Amino acid sequence: MITTLIRDSHGNILGWINADSSGSQLLYDQHGNYLGMYEVRGNLTLNQHGNYVGPGNVLMMLGSTASNTA
């Protein structure tokens, strides 16, 4: 599993993405809360409840939505 940190312009960690060898990705916020996933086989993004968010990889949209509501 490959982990990529997501940082703001000041270097603060906003969250991270864990990617597996198939290309699927899981998004977590800075507290370790699961926010959603990108499923490479279906080329779609799901939120933390498993609801469809959009086509392709729009995980960063989930992250920005969560940080605006926190």
Side-chain angles (χ1 to χ4, degrees):
M1 183 138 321
I2 298 171
T3 300
T4 303
L5 294 177
I6 302 165
R7 297 180 184 267
D8 66 12
S9 60
H10 302 287
N12 299 312
I13 296 174
L14 300 175
W16 63 89
I17 295 174
N18 286 338
D20 65 21
S21 60
S22 73
S24 291
Q25 301 175 1
L26 303 174
L27 175 66
Y28 298 89
D29 69 11
Q30 68 270 32
H31 305 291
N33 298 312
Y34 172 73
L35 299 178
M37 74 171 297
Y38 166 66
E39 175 58 54
V40 72
R41 286 182 292 158
N43 191 31
L44 54 85
T45 301
L46 305 172
N47 68 12
Q48 71 267 33
H49 305 291
N51 297 320
Y52 177 80
V53 175
N57 186 344
V58 293
L59 283 178
M60 296 311 290
M61 184 181 75
L62 289 176
S64 66
T65 301
S67 65
N68 289 336
T69 59

